[in-house]
Amino acid sequence: RDSPDTYNGELYLELHRGTLTNQHQIKRNNRLSEIALHNLEYLTVYNAVEGHAKASDEAYRDLTETLLVNQFHDILPGTCIPRAHQESLAATGELLQKAGSLIREAASPAQAEEQVTVINPTSFARSDVLYLDYVPGMKVRGNYPQQITETLEGGKKLAVAGVELPPYGSVVLTLEPGEPDGRAPFGISGRDLVTPFAQVTFDERGFMKSFKDTEADRELAGEGYPLNTFLVAEDLPSAWDNWDVDADLQMKFKDCAEFLSSEVISKGAVELRIRNKYRITEKSTITQDVIFYASSPLVKFETMMD
């Protein structure tokens, strides 16, 4: 060709796109294992430096080997036979249990019962909302916005905002008697919601048909589907059904979520949490928490599919 196309960066291969979404639990276990081993290595080295000792991976070297085996190119994409999936899930499940135990052991400082140590194992400063196990009648000492909530995993949590965690550092929080209080900066009237950062209007199924960024005075919900609509499509590629997703998939998407229920789980000084439930097929349901924050324009979605 006289004028061939010029590419800068990665080349996009229009094959094997199905491996990006196939076998979700295999991929989830892999990512959780990577994070766990990273955190375990950090704590191991930290403790060695503090104790003027030589750092060793002897306690978790076998876990690293297990992770590497399960990153084999047919296991991790989700394209292997059922037996391999079953064995991989068992192996990485055991890895996560052992790594979790070793992390708790390595991260257990000498502290009073009423103290909680929060560790940031990443290389950047963080101020995420913290979700601590809720102890009835107790709150965190200090001028931190906090409230009682309940996550999708179940059980009450104490949501605490405003805690600054340095890179690869920690903060010790002290619990004291009392109940968290504070004004909730969220206004709800019917299907309309006002947060410190947005004005939102939900439709009859809990999807956002309008989302206005009040600081920028800009509407973010465009034409077509409301924000957060669940779309389902039939996936029948012409070949390689466990690898490929064909382009005609785009023409098959349907909005078929049946709204089941909606409730406000918590509303306080830290967050507003709305829990919606849907049926998306005859045998599949979705439970989703939509979380608006008092101190951040971020809207977070925690989703559980059955």
Side-chain angles (χ1 to χ4, degrees), residues 16-75:
H16 299 351
R17 291 174 291 184
T19 64
L20 300 176
T21 56
N22 203 352
Q23 300 297 334
H24 165 74
Q25 193 63 42
I26 293 283
K27 291 176 168 57
R28 185 172 190 268
N29 279 17
N30 174 74
R31 188 64 187 124
L32 291 176
S33 297
E34 290 178 330
I35 293 170
L37 289 173
H38 166 274
N39 294 347
L40 184 53
E41 182 178 32
Y42 156 60
L43 291 168
T44 299
V45 173
Y46 179 88
N47 289 338
V49 171
E50 287 290 298
H52 304 286
K54 181 179 179 181
S56 170
D57 68 345
E58 183 177 353
Y60 59 87
R61 190 177 304 150
D62 61 325
L63 303 184
T64 304
E65 296 290 340
T66 296
L67 174 62
L68 292 173
V69 168
N70 286 277
Q71 289 180 332
F72 175 69
H73 80 267
D74 267 346
I75 297 176

Side-chain angles (χ1 to χ4, degrees), residues 129-131 147-155 157-159 186 188 193 202 262-268 270-276 288-294 300-303:
V129 172
L130 304 176
Y131 292 92
Q147 74 181 80
I148 302 170
T149 188
E150 175 190 307
T151 63
L152 267 182
E153 286 75 22
K157 297 289 184 180
L158 182 64
F186 306 101
I188 305 176
L193 166 65
F202 300 98
S262 179
E263 62 176 321
V264 175
I265 297 298
S266 64
K267 176 186 174 186
V270 177
E271 67 170 30
L272 168 70
R273 184 180 294 258
I274 302 173
R275 182 165 299 165
N276 297 325
Q288 183 176 74
D289 283 2
V290 185
I291 310 161
F292 301 87
Y293 293 101
K300 188 174 181 180
F301 298 89
E302 294 181 352
T303 309

Side-chain angles (χ1 to χ4, degrees), residues 205 225 229-234 249-257 280:
R205 293 187 296 167
Y225 293 112
T229 302
F230 294 111
L231 300 177
V232 179
E234 179 187 55
L249 184 81
Q250 297 291 335
M251 297 179 286
K252 298 179 181 179
F253 278 116
K254 294 181 180 180
D255 170 14
C256 56
I280 56 171

Side-chain angles (χ1 to χ4, degrees), residues 42 120-126 165-170:
Y42 156 60
N120 174 15
T122 63
S123 60
F124 51 90
R126 297 174 65 175
L165 293 169
Y168 287 117
S170 62

